[in-house]
C-alpha cells in the first residue's frame, strides 16, 4: 500500500507540548530526574530573579553527554517508551527535558561536558514559532553562556531555562513580583524534599536550591517511636514484583507541636492520607485512596507505600509528567485489603488512642467506653463490655457500684465518637484553666481506677486518664496537677 511521509508543523506542536499539564513543581522534579539518571551525586538548582526576566539553572556532576548524546537528548521524543529501561532509570518517554523546560520558559539551553569536552545545544521557541521549523541552535547565546559558567568536574551538565513566560510572566503585562517569585521557589523546595525523600535518604545524592540543601521529608515518620509499621508484602502484578507496606502515624497526643505540624505536610493531615506510589524510589502519586475508599478524618493516620519498578509503567499507566497514574485492575483487590487493615488501625488510634509505645506500653484501649464494631453496615461504635468498671458492676451491683454506674454512663456520653472527632491540639508545657466540674470528673475517674487497682503507679494513672476521650482537651501537666491537688496516691 502506498504511503506518504508527513511532517508536523513545528510551531503548533511546540505550543501543544507546552500544555501537557506540568506545574512548576512537577516540571522541576522531572528535570532533576535527568540528573539522577546521569548518576549525579550533587545537583544544584538555582532560581534568579530579574527585572524583565528570570533564569532557572540545574547543574550536576553526572556522566555528561558527548555531542551525539546531547543531540539525541534535545530531539523531541528521543526514546521509545516501550523499550526496556535500565535498573533505577527514571526516564521513560525521552520528552521530559524538553516538555518540562518549555512549560516554564521559551528558551532551553543545555551545556554538557563529558571527559573534559564541552558540547552545547539551544532551543528557542520564539525562533521556532517564527520559522515554523524544527531548527535547533548548535550554540548557546553568548550572554546566556556567560551566565551559565563552567562545569568544574570532569563531566556534568548545566540545563538553563529563561524567557520564563509561564513561570513568571516574561513578555507579558503582569510579571511576577520578586516576593511571589521566591515564594514559588519555596513551594518547589517543599515538593522536592517530598518527592525525592527516599532517594536522598538512601543514597549519597545531595540536592540544593539556591545554595541551601534540600532536607528529605519522610511522610511515614519512621523515625518516631510511636509510628506503627505494617509487614512488607510482595505482590506480583502482571509479572512485576510490587512492594507494599502500610504505616500508621502517631496520634497527635504523642507528638510535639512542631512534629504535628511537620507531619501534616503542605496539604494537611487529611489530604496526606492514602496511597503513596513510588517508582524506583521516586514519589509519583499521593494524597488519596484512588477510588478504593473515600477520605475521612479517622483514616488520616494511615499511609500506604507502594514501590514499583520502571518495568511496570505500562501496567500502571505512568504519564509523561510522572505525576499521573492508574491502578491496574489486578492490583485493586489486594491493595484494598491491605489498605482496609491500615484504615481500621488508624480509626482505632484516632478515636481511642489505642496506640502502643514507650509512653504507654501496657494500656491498649481496654478502658474505652466505645469500640468499633468492625462492620461496614449498621452501628460503627458499640459499648465496651469489657470495661473494668462495667465488669465490676456485673459481679456485684450494690450502692457503691451504683455510683460507678453513674460514672460509667457519664463516660458513655462524653466518649461518644461524635464528640471526639475534632479534638483540638493542646500545649503540653503549662497547666490549663479547667472548670471545677471537669476537675471533679477527673478525680472521680482516677479514684475509681485506683480503687480497682487498674493503675500500678502515678505514671500509668496519667496515661490511663490521657487515653480517655472525655479528657481529650487536657494535657499531662493539667492531669498531674488535678490528681496531686486531690492527694490521689497510687499504693504499691
Amino acid at each position: 500500500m502506498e504511503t506518504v511521509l508527513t511532517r508536523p508543523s513545528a510551531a503548533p506542536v511546540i505550543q501543544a507540548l507546552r500544555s501537557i499539564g506540568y506545574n512548576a513543581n512537577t516540571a522541576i522534579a522531572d528535570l532533576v530526574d535527568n540528573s539522577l539518571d546521569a548518576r549525579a551525586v550533587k545537583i544544584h538548582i538555582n532560581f534568579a530573579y530579574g527585572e524583565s526576566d528570570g533564569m532557572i539553572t540545574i547543574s550536576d556532576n553526572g556522566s555528561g553527554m558527548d555531542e551525539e548524546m546531547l543531540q539525541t537528548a534535545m530531539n523531541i521524543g528521543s526514546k521509545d517508551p516501550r523499550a526496556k529501561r535500565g535498573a533505577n532509570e527514571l526516564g521513560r518517554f525521552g520528552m521530559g527535558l524538553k516538555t518540562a523546560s518549555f512549560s516554564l520558559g521559551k528558551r532551553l539551553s543545555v551545556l554538557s561536558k563529558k571527559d573534559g569536552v564541552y558540547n552545547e545545544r539551544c532551543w528557542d521557541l520564539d525562533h521556532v514559532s517564527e520559522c515554523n521549523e524544527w531548527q535547533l541552535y548548535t550554540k548557546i547565546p553568548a550572554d546566556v553562556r556567560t551566565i551559565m559558567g563552567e562545569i568544574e568536574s570532569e563531566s556534568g551538565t548545566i540545563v538553563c531555562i529563561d524567557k520564563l513566560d509561564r513561570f513568571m510572566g516574561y513578555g507579558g503585562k503582569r510579571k511576577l513580583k520578586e516576593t511571589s517569585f521566591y515564594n514559588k521557589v519555596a513551594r518547589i523546595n517543599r515538593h522536592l524534599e517530598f518527592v525525592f525523600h527516599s532517594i536522598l535518604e538512601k543514597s549519597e545524592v545531595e540536592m540544593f536550591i539556591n545554595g541551601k540543601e534540600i532536607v528529605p521529608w519522610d511522610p511515614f515518620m519512621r523515625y518516631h517511636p510511636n509510628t506503627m509499621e505494617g509487614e512488607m508484602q510482595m505482590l506480583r502484578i502482571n509479572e512485576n514484583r510490587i512492594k507494599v507496606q502500610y504505616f500508621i502515624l502517631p496520634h497527635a497526643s504523642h507528638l510535639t507541636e512542631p512534629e504535628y505540624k511537620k507531619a501534616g505536610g503542605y496539604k494537611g493531615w487529611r489530604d496526606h492520607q492514602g496511597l503513596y506510589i513510588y517508582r524506583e524510589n521516586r514519589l509519583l502519586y499521593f494524597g488519596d485512596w484512588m477510588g478504593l475508599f473515600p477520605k475521612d478524618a479517622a483514616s488520616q493516620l494511615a499511609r500506604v507505600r507502594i514501590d514499583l519498578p520502571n518495568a511496570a509503567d505500562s501496567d500502571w499507566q505512568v504519564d509523561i509528567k510522572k505525576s499521573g497514574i492508574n491502578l491496574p485492575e489486578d492490583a485493586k483487590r489486594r491493595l484494598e485489603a491491605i489498605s482496609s487493615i491500615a484504615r481500621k488501625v488508624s480509626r482505632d488510634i484516632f478515636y481511642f488512642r489505642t496506640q502502643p509505645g514507650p509512653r504507654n506500653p501496657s494500656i491498649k484501649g481496654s478502658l474505652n467506653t466505645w469500640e468499633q464494631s468492625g462492620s461496614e453496615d449498621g452501628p460503627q461504635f458499640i459499648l465496651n463490655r469489657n470495661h473494668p468498671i462495667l465488669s465490676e458492676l456485673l459481679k456485684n451491683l450494690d450502692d457503691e457500684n451504683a455510683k460507678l454506674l453513674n460514672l460509667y454512663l457519664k463516660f458513655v456520653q462524653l466518649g461518644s465518637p461524635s464528640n471526639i472527632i475534632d479534638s483540638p491540639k493542646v500545649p503540653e508545657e503549662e497547666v490549663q484553666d479547667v472548670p471545677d466540674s471537669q476537675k471533679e470528673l477527673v478525680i472521680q475517674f482516677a479514684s475509681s481506677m485506683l480503687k480497682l487497682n487498674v493503675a500500678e503507679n502515678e505514671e500509668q494513672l496519667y496515661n490511663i486518664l490521657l487515653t480517655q476521650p472525655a479528657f481529650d482537651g487536657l494535657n499531662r501537666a493539667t492531669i498531674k496537677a488535678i490528681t496531686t491537688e486531690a492527694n490521689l496516691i497510687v499504693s504499691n
Side-chain angles (χ1 to χ4, degrees):
M1 185 178 293
E2 187 176 351
T3 63
V4 60
L5 183 64
T6 65
R7 243 177 114 188
S9 297
V13 172
I14 283 289
Q15 294 305 315
L17 292 176
R18 301 193 76 194
S19 304
I20 282 178
Y22 283 100
N23 56 43
N25 294 342
T26 56
I28 296 298
D30 211 357
L31 293 169
V32 169
D33 286 343
N34 294 320
S35 295
L36 293 170
D37 280 345
R39 301 294 183 262
V41 293
K42 285 191 183 296
I43 303 169
H44 288 267
I45 308 157
N46 286 293
F47 297 83
Y49 182 86
E51 288 301 320
S52 60
D53 190 14
M55 181 175 284
I56 301 171
T57 59
I58 301 174
S59 58
D60 66 54
N61 64 347
S63 57
M65 294 176 279
D66 59 27
E67 186 168 17
E68 182 180 353
M69 295 168 65
L70 178 55
Q71 179 61 50
T72 300
M74 295 294 273
N75 289 340
I76 306 297
S78 56
K79 292 182 181 179
D80 185 341
R82 298 166 297 179
K84 186 177 181 180
R85 294 292 184 259
N88 306 123
E89 189 174 348
L90 297 173
R92 169 56 58 181
F93 295 90
M95 298 281 284
L97 172 62
K98 286 77 63 176
T99 53
S101 299
F102 297 158
S103 74
L104 300 168
K106 294 196 287 184
R107 184 160 60 188
L108 164 65
S109 304
V110 180
L111 177 67
S112 196
K113 182 182 180 184
K114 188 173 181 64
D115 300 327
V117 179
Y118 280 98
N119 295 283
E120 57 189 89
R121 290 289 189 273
C122 176
W123 277 112
D124 190 325
L125 301 193
D126 285 335
H127 176 71
V128 172
S129 295
E130 184 179 342
C131 68
N132 199 20
E133 294 286 348
W134 300 97
Q135 292 186 3
L136 175 67
Y137 286 122
T138 58
K139 294 292 182 182
I140 297 171
D143 57 334
V144 176
R145 177 65 180 83
T146 299
I147 295 172
M148 291 174 72
E150 302 300 317
I151 298 171
E152 296 180 2
S153 55
E154 186 67 12
S155 298
T157 299
I158 301 175
V159 173
C160 175
I161 307 150
D162 65 336
K163 296 187 176 182
L164 301 177
D165 60 332
R166 297 286 179 93
F167 188 83
M168 62 174 292
Y170 162 80
K173 294 181 180 179
R174 298 185 62 183
K175 188 170 70 70
L176 209 60
K177 294 181 179 179
E178 187 172 9
T179 301
S180 299
F181 181 92
Y182 286 110
N183 285 340
K184 198 169 186 176
V185 173
R187 291 193 294 272
I188 292 171
N189 188 97
R190 288 197 297 271
H191 183 74
L192 298 184
E193 66 185 18
F194 182 20
V195 167
F196 294 108
H197 80 90
S198 203
I199 291 173
L200 294 172
E201 291 164 353
K202 296 179 180 180
S203 69
E204 298 179 351
V205 173
E206 294 176 303
M207 296 183 192
F208 303 83
I209 286 188
N210 287 359
K212 182 181 178 182
E213 186 170 3
I214 296 173
V215 179
W217 177 71
D218 177 15
F220 309 112
M221 294 190 75
R222 284 168 293 188
Y223 65 86
H224 199 282
N226 288 94
T227 295
M228 297 176 60
E229 295 189 21
E231 183 180 356
M232 171 77 73
Q233 299 195 42
M234 300 293 294
L235 308 181
R236 185 167 289 278
I237 308 293
N238 297 337
E239 304 305 317
N240 292 303
R241 295 179 68 190
I242 311 301
K243 297 178 184 177
V244 182
Q245 184 178 22
Y246 71 76
F247 297 82
I248 310 299
L249 273 59
H251 187 278
S253 61
H254 290 285
L255 301 174
T256 64
E257 192 68 37
E259 284 177 331
Y260 181 81
K261 184 177 180 180
K262 185 175 181 181
Y266 63 83
K267 284 192 171 184
W269 278 80
R270 188 178 185 280
D271 287 330
H272 273 281
Q273 67 181 278
L275 306 181
Y276 285 66
I277 302 177
Y278 292 76
R279 174 182 178 269
E280 304 297 351
N281 280 321
R282 192 256 207 217
L283 181 65
L284 297 181
Y285 188 90
F286 77 100
D288 65 31
W289 298 100
M290 298 192 72
L292 300 179
F293 305 98
K295 288 183 183 179
D296 59 66
S299 300
Q300 66 183 15
L301 306 179
R303 299 176 183 180
V304 181
R305 175 165 180 156
I306 303 168
D307 279 279
L308 314 176
N310 56 28
D313 285 357
S314 178
D315 294 337
W316 293 71
Q317 298 177 35
V318 177
D319 68 6
I320 290 177
K321 308 184 300 297
K322 303 189 193 80
S323 60
I325 200 164
N326 287 303
L327 297 182
E329 288 299 323
D330 290 347
K332 288 182 179 179
R333 179 179 56 81
R334 282 177 278 184
L335 291 178
E336 184 176 7
I338 295 170
S339 300
S340 180
I341 295 170
R343 285 164 56 88
K344 183 182 187 307
V345 177
S346 174
R347 289 195 295 268
D348 287 342
I349 294 171
F350 182 81
Y351 286 123
F352 306 124
R353 304 186 185 182
T354 55
Q355 186 163 16
R359 289 177 62 181
N360 184 16
S362 61
I363 305 302
K364 307 285 188 182
S366 63
L367 303 179
N368 295 322
T369 54
W370 294 87
E371 290 181 335
Q372 288 187 281
S373 65
S375 172
E376 292 296 329
D377 301 315
Q380 296 297 298
F381 301 94
I382 57 175
L383 284 171
N384 179 8
R385 298 296 177 179
N386 295 316
H387 196 287
I389 296 177
L390 184 57
S391 298
E392 186 69 16
L393 291 176
L394 293 174
K395 290 178 185 176
N396 186 12
L397 186 62
D398 54 20
D399 290 343
E400 187 65 26
N401 283 336
K403 294 179 182 180
L404 291 178
L405 177 60
N406 287 329
L407 180 62
Y408 180 70
L409 292 178
K410 285 183 182 179
F411 276 81
V412 171
Q413 179 178 326
L414 294 172
S416 169
S418 61
N419 293 333
I420 63 173
I421 288 177
D422 293 315
S423 299
K425 178 73 177 169
V426 294
E428 292 289 339
E429 305 81 16
E430 55 189 29
V431 176
Q432 300 159 274
D433 186 17
V434 179
D436 290 340
S437 59
Q438 193 168 19
K439 285 183 181 180
E440 182 60 27
L441 192 59
V442 171
I443 294 168
Q444 287 181 22
F445 189 78
S447 299
S448 299
M449 294 299 98
L450 295 175
K451 190 168 184 178
L452 296 172
N453 294 319
V454 175
E456 298 175 358
N457 54 58
E458 276 84 0
E459 197 63 21
Q460 193 175 76
L461 176 63
Y462 302 150
N463 285 330
I464 289 172
L465 294 169
L466 285 168
T467 58
Q468 295 308 297
F471 308 135
D472 209 22
L474 302 182
N475 61 25
R476 182 175 290 267
T478 305
I479 292 288
K480 184 175 181 179
I482 294 172
T483 54
T484 301
E485 184 182 353
N487 199 28
L488 294 174
I489 301 174
V490 179
S491 58
N492 295 320

